[in-house]
Amino acid sequence: CIALVYIVFVQKKVTCKNMILCLLPTIYIILILMREEESGYFSYSIVSIVAIYIFLLLSDKIKIKIVQAFYVVVLVSIVICTFAYVYLLFGFPAKIVSYYTETYITNYYYQFGPLAILSSDGLLRMCGPFNEGGNLGTTCAFLYAIFDKKNTRIEKIILIIGISLSFSLAGWILLLI
């Protein structure tokens, strides 16, 4: 409903592409709600789906600006997290936050504001603004590919450092493809 209102009143044009962009996520959300109603479990993935849904409806210019801003945020977070990573390697203290629940005794985060480094059985994995190192590594690989022609050499090195210190197998595989 929100998407249709956005299309009609903000974009002021109804196209086949916009209608498909409204229909497909709506069907997906309905299927998720039906599944969750049976099991009694509520997934917060709907929030992500709605965010993607709204993003798809934005104009191409706004999408490009958002992706470029996200790229800068990821680069800055990798630089800050790299300093934090070295800081931890020298054994300096940092705020420790539990990993999902208290039952994961050997897994915890070192928190540096909104950024984190996961200690998983003694292995430090850079997470940046994400909740897991693999998310950062995969995101870095995708950003490396998306901005391949526009990346400066320093930006490429920063993204490779993000993939390396996150210990993300998916990040390396995507980078090599």
Side-chain angles (χ1 to χ4, degrees):
C1 293
I2 295 171
L4 290 173
V5 169
Y6 176 81
I7 289 171
V8 173
F9 293 109
V10 176
Q11 289 189 344
K12 297 183 181 172
K13 61 181 176 180
V14 178
T15 65
C16 185
K17 175 186 169 186
N18 286 344
M19 295 311 294
I20 290 171
L21 288 175
C22 285
L23 187 61
L24 291 178
T26 303
I27 291 170
Y28 186 66
I29 289 171
I30 290 169
L31 291 174
I32 286 176
L33 290 173
M34 287 172 42
R35 180 198 65 166
E36 291 171 354
E37 192 173 295
E38 289 176 12
S39 64
Y41 172 77
F42 177 76
S43 171
Y44 289 98
S45 62
I46 289 183
V47 175
S48 299
I49 293 168
V50 171
I52 292 168
Y53 191 33
I54 292 169
F55 179 79
L56 290 173
L57 293 172
L58 297 173
S59 70
D60 289 342
K61 289 179 185 179
I62 294 174
K63 286 180 198 172
I64 290 170
K65 288 181 182 181
I66 290 172
V67 171
Q68 289 171 339
F70 178 72
Y71 178 69
V72 170
V73 167
V74 170
L75 286 176
V76 169
S77 70
I78 291 169
V79 170
I80 293 170
C81 266
T82 302
F83 285 113
Y85 197 94
V86 172
Y87 175 86
L88 289 174
L89 289 178
F90 281 116
F92 294 116
K95 180 179 178 183
I96 295 176
V97 180
S98 66
Y99 177 77
Y100 295 111
T101 66
E102 298 291 333
T103 58
Y104 290 98
I105 297 169
T106 59
N107 296 343
Y108 48 88
Y109 292 107
Y110 290 105
Q111 186 178 2
F112 298 90
L115 307 176
I117 296 174
L118 174 65
S119 177
S120 178
D121 295 319
L123 174 68
L124 296 177
R125 297 183 70 193
M126 183 188 298
C127 299
F130 304 102
N131 69 336
E132 206 274 322
N135 295 346
L136 176 66
T138 304
T139 301
C140 288
F142 279 126
L143 291 174
Y144 189 98
I146 291 169
F147 292 98
D148 186 35
K149 305 290 186 219
K150 297 177 184 176
N151 284 350
T152 65
R153 187 171 183 203
I154 293 172
E155 290 171 342
K156 288 181 181 184
I157 291 170
I158 291 170
L159 290 171
I160 290 172
I161 288 171
I163 295 169
S164 300
L165 295 181
S166 69
F167 292 93
S168 170
L169 178 61
W172 280 110
I173 290 171
L174 288 170
L175 186 66
L176 297 174
I177 291 177

